């Protein structure tokens, strides 16, 4: 249960039916709570553009039982200093006419010039949990959409939405000194999403053609060359490490299955490289995860038609 009284931020959210489990898992990683009814309310400031599921962030300054209650307080709470403004409805199951009425009732009480197209400041109003919430609103910028336009795509690579969520699950808190690795990075889909959010992640791959594609894609988005050629099973933590987290998207091929021994070697290598590992797999691998010395902490299934992948968050079991 979210503690509403001590919360300062309201995050409207939405997810496709096929990605609802991934959305829920990402929200648990980013906020430590379950997202319900299309929003999260919590006292934690996160850039909404990090998540492919967050539509924005409402920096709450007022709450009331109805729009009139917000309107009574808003003139004293908002000082524009000559800036223009706009009030927009951001979350809650109200009819369109009710949403517009709430915007107008509150907007009329703000001292300043409204600008519906290019306001200097954007304010949001939401109706959730039986109350109205008002504050400055920060829209999410869907960077992951821009990253779909890669010069070097690959048919079985993760979609950018999934890759972005996986990067967030692996590194929910971006702090100085936190480092991550994608030891089987392919064309760099996860790397691009991670680095666009400020996550210090580097990549390796054994396939020189994949690495060439990753370098082209990174350069296309103005990112540095952070990939090297290596067999991940031979990597040791001291090589460019240590790392706080690893993302392992296990190789997937329509025509062949990854041998059990090779997959186990990759999982064991990931455990050596980082205590936290997020695995993406198309096959059931719980037994192999345990054999590799990892413990599952969270998981979900991502579906695309009949095809599905599992996203599994793990930690080292503490053994040798």
């Amino acid at each position: 249960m979210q503690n509403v009284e001590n919360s300062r931020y309201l995050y409207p959210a939405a997810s496709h039916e096929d990605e609802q489990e991934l959305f829920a898992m990402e929200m648990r990683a980013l906020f430590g709570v379950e997202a319900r009814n299309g929003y999260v309310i919590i006292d934690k400031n996160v850039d909404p553009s990090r998540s492919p599921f967050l539509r924005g962030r409402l920096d709450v300054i007022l709450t009331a039982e109805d729009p009139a209650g917000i309107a009574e307080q808003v003139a004293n709470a908002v000082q524009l200093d000559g800036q223009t403004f706009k009030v927009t409805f951001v979350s809650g199951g109200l009819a369109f006419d009710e949403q517009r009425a709430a915007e107008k009732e509150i907007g009329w009480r703000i001292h300043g010039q409204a600008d519906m197209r290019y306001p200097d400041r954007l304010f949001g109003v939401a109706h959730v949990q039986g109350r109205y919430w008002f504050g400055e609103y920060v829209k999410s910028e869907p960077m992951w959409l821009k990253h779909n336009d890669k010069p070097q795509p690959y048919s079985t690579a993760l979609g950018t939405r999934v890759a972005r969520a996986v990067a967030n699950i692996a590194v929910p808190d971006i702090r100085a000194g936190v480092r991550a690795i994608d030891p089987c990075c392919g064309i760099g889909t996860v790397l691009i999403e991670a680095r666009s959010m400020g996550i210090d992640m580097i990549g390796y791959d054994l396939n020189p053609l994949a690495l060439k594609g990753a370098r082209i894609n990174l350069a296309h988005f103005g990112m540095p060359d952070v990939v090297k050629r290596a067999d991940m099973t031979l990597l040791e933590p001291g090589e460019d490490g240590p790392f706080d987290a690893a993302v392992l998207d296990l190789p997937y091929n329509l025509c062949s299955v990854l041998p059990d021994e090779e997959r186990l070697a990759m999982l064991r290598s990931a455990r050596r490289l980082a205590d936290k590992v997020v695995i993406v797999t198309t096959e059931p691998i719980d037994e192999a995860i345990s054999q590799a010395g990892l413990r599952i902490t969270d998981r979900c299934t991502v579906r695309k038609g009949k095809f599905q992948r599992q996203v599994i968050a793990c930690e080292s079991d503490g053994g040798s």
Side-chain angles (χ1 to χ4, degrees), residues 18-19 22 162 300-304 307-311:
D18 290 343
E19 296 176 341
L22 180 65
V162 177
C300 75
T301 299
V302 183
R303 297 172 178 84
K304 188 174 183 180
F307 181 70
Q308 63 182 38
R309 284 182 165 101
Q310 290 186 66
V311 177

Side-chain angles (χ1 to χ4, degrees), residues 245-281:
V247 172
L248 177 57
D249 183 7
L250 287 168
Y252 164 74
N253 193 303
L254 289 170
C255 302
S256 63
V257 177
L258 188 67
D260 292 346
E261 298 80 7
E262 184 177 344
R263 181 173 57 208
L264 182 57
M266 294 174 76
L267 291 170
R268 284 174 170 162
S269 176
R271 179 187 178 275
R272 288 198 307 271
L273 294 169
D275 287 336
K276 180 177 182 180
V277 182
V278 178
I279 304 162
V280 182
T281 177

Side-chain angles (χ1 to χ4, degrees), residues 288-305:
I289 288 173
S290 178
Q291 290 175 352
L294 292 165
R295 175 177 58 86
I296 297 173
T297 58
D298 203 352
R299 71 192 308 160
C300 75
T301 299
V302 183
R303 297 172 178 84
K304 188 174 183 180

Side-chain angles (χ1 to χ4, degrees), residues 61-223:
I61 57 174
L62 298 172
T63 67
E65 294 182 357
D66 52 33
I70 299 292
E72 289 176 4
Q73 307 172 68
V74 75
N76 292 327
V78 174
Q79 304 299 321
L80 293 175
D81 298 324
Q83 295 176 308
T84 60
F85 77 95
K86 177 182 178 179
V87 177
T88 185
F89 195 88
V90 300
S91 183
L94 295 183
F96 180 81
D97 290 345
E98 293 178 292
Q99 295 178 20
R100 298 292 84 82
E103 293 170 354
K104 290 179 180 178
E105 185 170 4
I106 295 168
W108 278 114
R109 300 295 291 272
I110 296 176
H111 299 312
Q113 178 66 44
D115 185 339
M116 297 296 103
R117 297 187 65 187
Y118 305 108
D120 297 317
R121 295 174 67 182
L122 179 64
F123 296 97
V125 58
H127 180 249
V128 300
Q129 297 186 354
R131 294 183 65 80
Y132 284 81
W133 307 72
F134 174 86
E136 201 115 15
Y137 189 62
V138 179
K139 285 185 176 181
S140 176
E141 184 179 359
M143 291 298 299
W144 52 272
L145 272 179
K146 298 178 182 179
H147 297 154
N148 278 324
D149 186 24
K150 292 182 180 67
Q152 295 287 308
Y154 191 65
S155 60
T156 60
L158 292 177
T160 55
R161 287 169 62 92
V162 177
R164 197 168 185 87
V166 165
N168 280 325
I169 292 166
V171 187
D173 294 313
I174 303 174
R175 303 185 308 274
V178 173
R179 305 194 67 220
I181 181 173
D182 183 346
C184 193
C185 68
I187 60 167
T189 305
V190 173
L191 273 176
I192 289 168
E193 295 308 316
R195 296 196 70 86
S196 73
M197 294 185 283
I199 296 173
D200 183 7
M201 179 181 285
I202 65 172
Y204 291 87
D205 205 283
L206 185 58
N207 185 337
L209 293 178
L211 284 180
K212 181 180 178 181
R215 290 190 173 106
I216 292 172
N217 288 335
L218 286 163
H220 178 75
F221 296 112
M223 298 177 185

